[in-house]
Amino acid sequence: MSANFYALAESRFPADRAAPFIETEDGRRYSYADLETISGRYARLLTDLGVVKGDRVAVQVEKSPEAVFLYLACLRAGAAYLPLNTAYTRAEIEYFLTDAEPRVFVCRPDSEAALREVAGKAGVGAVLTLGTDGEGSLPERARWLDSAYDTVACGPDDLAAILYTSGTTGRSKGAMLSHRNLGSNALTLHKVWGFQPNDVLLHALPIFHTHGLFVAINCMLLNGSSMLFLPKFDADTAFRLLPRATVMMGVPTFYTRLLADARLTREATAHMRLFVSGSAPLLAETHREFQERTGHAILERYGMTETCMNTSNPLDGDRVPGTVGFPLPEVEVRVCDDQGTVLGTGEIGVIEVKGPNVFSGYWRMPEKTEQEFRPDGFFITGDVGRIDARGYVHIVGRAKDLVISGGFNVYPKEVETVIDGIDGVVESAVVGVPHPDFGEAVVAVVLRKPGRTDPTAQAVVAACKEQLANYKVPKAVFFAEELPRNTMGKVQKNLLRDQHKGTFAAQAVA
Ligand code: AMP
């Protein structure tokens, strides 16, 4: 049998294809029959445009049901789906298109003019558009095509998607995910989180990231049930829809926002079966407060773009605040020192994982890939953690100084490079500091040339806005005479974090 993830999902679609799959916030409804028809037409169009197995299809569009059908169409056509963060700027898109060499690029109608040129330069064969309400040249050209489409047979190792992660050196890496990666992880999560035929998922995550795309959508596809689809998280809408949902998957920010609202009560969440959190650390305090207010213990899990999900707190059993639970079935997790020696219970080191969930490598970066795998196949996550006596995994930090703001990863180096390029700047250091809403906020410490009073903080922010996605732009800029360094000449970011940790402390949760 084909290992194509779409074929696996299709084998579990409800017998009655009129059953609901997606309902949007404004009441548009799509059934499983719609899913089959529309994804079939899109797959036909991709094939007509010359897409063959292994080709990349890059996509930078807003969240919509049609965007989900496009993802499924790529799988059906045997193409590698390559979703791009909607916040990426033109310069960033140029890098991704040049690096990935997709056969087709789908963008928002209003960015078509600018990006068509970029795509042309990168040698992309065809550019299509897709808007939020299902408009654009992709749906228009697909409308009259035959919806009957034979899903391309794929082997377990065939490429299903490429998801770019940020790179510490400023270069993003494309994590290559196979049909086996998607299938094994979705089957496991579907089982361990106890999905039932009547489950309804409140989906408020972005769909260009592993959490909203693979964890959320793939689980629901295997469950054959429906999602309430929000363009983004919004507390008013969440409270309106919680009585109709049974499961919500969120980043910690969702939970702090719900907690900041007086409407969060036992009654408001009485219809819910499960709240899941991941993508960034959930404060133990948030976990406890949420349980006090609602009676629900948030289930925290841990994963990453390269590995899909690795660990989860149990559905039945103690969901321990501040931990990410146990390794998932078939996933091996160990904590090692820098040399790869396995450490004992409670010892802190780098988390390494192995299993059918782990990606095959970084797109066209064989050396980088080799560096991040141990000879026995374990992937070095770069997360620092420990495993306690009961087997719960704890994450204590991030080896690479990654900042996670609102669930999105920001690598300081990328922001520092932009700031260092501003006239009048000697150097800069970017760190993450606690923020009540975003979990962490990006803060920049900047050294100006002697005697200069420019650039101002506003000018630094403006320069960043021009070149970087919004979530990477510093939320505060400080000026200093020098940066603290250790004897090896490395900037001591922990000192900077300490110094600025109170920056957003007094700010109310928005
Ligand atoms: P991404 O590739 O964007 O999914 O980011 C993956 C990184 O997010 C991981 O390597 C962790 O550093 C972090 N992460 C994900 N889930 C958790 C969690 N539950 N607690 C702490 N950090 C997490």
Side-chain angles (χ1 to χ4, degrees), residues 302 348-351 381-386 394-400:
Y302 156 64
I348 291 178
V350 176
I351 297 174
T381 64
D383 287 313
V384 179
R386 66 186 163 88
H394 299 240
I395 296 176
V396 298
R398 296 182 294 271
K400 302 167 196 160

Side-chain angles (χ1 to χ4, degrees), residues 49-338:
L49 288 169
V51 171
V52 293
K53 195 156 134 181
D55 278 350
R56 280 76 56 209
V57 174
V59 176
Q60 188 192 34
V61 299
E62 296 299 334
K63 184 175 175 180
S64 71
E66 288 75 13
V68 178
F69 302 143
L70 176 57
Y71 155 54
L72 298 174
C74 290
L75 295 180
R76 296 186 73 176
Y81 182 63
L82 197 165
L84 293 163
N85 191 322
T86 45
Y88 284 144
T89 61
R90 185 189 152 119
E92 288 164 317
I93 295 296
E94 186 166 354
Y95 166 71
F96 295 119
L97 297 186
T98 309
D99 189 52
E101 296 186 300
R103 169 94 44 192
V104 174
F105 174 46
V106 185
C107 65
R108 293 170 281 207
D110 56 4
S111 46
E112 185 188 7
L115 294 182
R116 191 171 273 285
E117 194 196 318
V118 170
K121 262 207 265 174
V124 177
V127 177
L128 297 168
T129 61
L130 177 63
T132 348
D133 296 322
E135 76 282 13
S137 59
L138 165 73
E140 268 159 35
R141 290 181 61 177
R143 183 163 302 139
W144 307 111
L145 298 179
D146 186 358
S147 66
Y149 185 87
D150 286 335
T151 296
V152 171
C154 287
D157 293 319
D158 284 338
L159 199 54
I162 297 180
L163 263 58
Y164 275 85
T165 67
S166 306
T168 32
T169 54
R171 262 195 88 189
S172 281
K173 297 166 285 177
M176 299 190 286
L177 294 151
S178 66
H179 287 274
R180 177 197 279 114
N181 296 147
L182 305 196
S184 68
N185 217 232
L187 283 168
T188 295
L189 296 176
H190 182 266
K191 193 166 170 201
V192 300
W193 292 345
F195 277 96
Q196 302 295 322
N198 58 353
D199 268 325
V200 175
L201 180 79
L202 185 59
H203 193 304
L205 292 160
I207 58 168
F208 49 74
H209 183 269
T210 187
H211 195 172
L213 182 63
F214 298 144
V215 184
I217 294 175
N218 289 357
C219 270
M220 295 321 281
L221 286 166
L222 294 194
N223 200 47
S225 69
S226 72
M227 301 185 273
L228 302 171
F229 223 51
L230 274 56
K232 61 181 173 44
F233 183 80
D234 160 71
D236 285 339
T237 317
F239 282 113
R240 177 163 61 82
L241 296 177
L242 279 174
R244 292 181 50 209
T246 61
V247 180
M248 185 178 91
M249 297 182 190
V251 292
T253 314
F254 290 11
Y255 295 104
T256 51
R257 288 191 185 172
L258 289 174
L259 275 167
D261 198 303
R263 288 172 291 182
L264 186 74
T265 58
R266 276 174 190 266
E267 296 70 47
T269 55
H271 193 252
M272 292 294 288
R273 176 175 78 77
L274 184 64
F275 287 96
V276 178
S277 179
S279 295
L282 180 80
L283 291 177
E285 191 187 318
T286 308
H287 189 286
R288 290 194 194 97
E289 270 183 51
F290 199 86
Q291 190 160 18
E292 267 166 38
R293 289 264 292 279
T294 66
H296 288 280
I298 299 169
L299 183 152
E300 186 171 9
R301 95 296 177 284
Y302 156 64
M304 62 197 303
T305 301
E306 289 93 331
T307 63
C308 307
M309 296 304 106
N310 297 317
T311 73
S312 172
N313 269 279
L315 183 69
D316 302 310
D318 273 356
R319 299 179 198 165
V320 178
T323 81
V324 294
F326 306 117
L328 289 166
E330 293 185 272
V331 179
E332 291 174 74
V333 177
R334 68 188 188 191
V335 172
C336 295
D337 67 11
D338 288 349

